[in-house]
Amino acid sequence: DMKVKCAIVDRTNASEDQRFIWNQIAKKHGALKMCIFLDAKFEVCASRCTKRKNHEGGRFPTEKNEIAQVIRRIEDTFVNPRRDEGFEHIVHVKDSESLNDTFAQIVSSLRSQLQQGITVESNTSSNENGARSP
């Protein structure tokens, strides 16, 4: 019975160059490379950011105009992820979809796609915003 471990990188990764390093690490360890592309509108991102407290990077602005500038900069430089970057799967999540429901569908799909005799280990929990973390 072979176990497949899953690591989740919760990061914007706005360009192929930023995603490249994570794909290389996954490739080195023989891990499945899946991208969950959260396609949220500017207003949704701004609203979520203004509600954030103690951003884990410690560098995210707190003033609405600064938040808007950061989001616009990401929006202006963002390149949609593509399979030819090395991803086996890309899941595109729109604003109207529930992230938790999408995550459950992904886990279900992966389990059905894996060969018989392989189990998937997942050590994730939901934070107060419903986001998954290892």
Side-chain angles (χ1 to χ4, degrees):
D1 190 35
M2 188 164 100
K3 292 187 178 193
V4 178
K5 293 196 177 199
C6 175
I8 298 172
V9 178
D10 181 4
R11 190 171 187 278
T12 302
N13 292 311
S15 70
E16 182 176 350
D17 288 343
Q18 292 175 352
R19 294 183 291 266
F20 177 79
I21 186 70
W22 303 112
N23 274 324
Q24 289 302 107
I25 292 169
K27 183 178 181 180
K28 178 181 175 182
H29 294 280
L32 176 70
K33 296 174 293 297
M34 175 187 287
C35 174
I36 302 173
F37 172 23
L38 304 176
D39 191 1
K41 293 180 179 15
F42 174 86
E43 295 77 16
V44 173
C45 292
S47 173
R48 289 177 182 164
C49 288
T50 57
K51 293 175 186 173
R52 270 189 175 166
K53 293 183 177 126
N54 301 321
H55 185 269
E56 61 275 2
R59 297 177 299 179
F60 205 83
T62 56
E63 299 297 321
K64 286 185 180 185
N65 63 337
E66 292 175 312
I67 289 170
Q69 289 174 351
V70 170
I71 295 170
R72 288 283 181 221
R73 190 170 45 246
I74 292 169
E75 186 176 65
D76 291 345
T77 61
F78 191 85
V79 176
N80 287 355
R82 299 179 324 273
R83 286 194 51 157
D84 66 359
E85 292 179 40
F87 295 111
E88 282 94 3
H89 303 282
I90 296 176
V91 179
H92 191 165
V93 180
K94 300 272 188 178
D95 288 332
S96 61
E97 295 180 83
S98 163
L99 181 55
N100 287 335
D101 289 345
T102 301
F103 186 78
Q105 290 171 0
I106 291 166
V107 170
S108 175
S109 175
L110 285 173
R111 283 190 173 134
S112 69
Q113 291 179 29
L114 292 171
Q115 296 174 356
Q116 188 173 0
I118 298 177
T119 59
V120 177
E121 273 188 14
S122 178
N123 294 323
T124 60
S125 60
S126 292
N127 67 19
E128 63 197 35
N129 298 321
R132 311 288 289 181
S133 61

